[in-house]
Amino acid sequence: MTREPHPPASARPQSPSLPDTGLSSVPPLLSTRATVVFLAAGFIGVVMGGLMFLSEKSAPTAIAAGIAAAGASIPVLRNLIG
């Protein structure tokens, strides 16, 4: 009976490898720049809507002003952030 030689056991146990999720090959939904632009535009819209609500006490007017402010700020922010 012949025994096959085995390599010696390592002194340090190997850390378990993380499972491959396959997400690294998927590109992000939005670029970082687009995310910053949309978040800033949303913030501007919320602030403008809140200020309009405080002055007019009308929710529909505040919502319309917030949406308009956010929409108008997107092209400006796109040119500023870059």
Side-chain angles (χ1 to χ4, degrees):
M1 234 161 56
T2 340
R3 290 181 46 166
E4 294 182 23
H6 295 289
S10 64
R12 274 197 258 162
Q14 292 181 351
S15 62
S17 62
L18 297 174
D20 183 24
T21 58
L23 294 178
S24 61
S25 64
V26 177
L29 184 62
L30 291 173
S31 67
T32 305
R33 179 178 176 234
T35 303
V36 170
V37 167
F38 287 132
L39 283 174
F43 178 74
I44 289 170
V46 166
V47 168
M48 190 64 187
L51 290 174
M52 185 61 81
F53 182 76
L54 290 175
S55 70
E56 296 290 326
K57 302 292 189 233
S58 170
T61 304
I63 291 170
I67 290 173
S73 67
I74 288 175
V76 174
L77 290 169
R78 195 184 87 209
N79 289 333
L80 285 176
I81 300 172

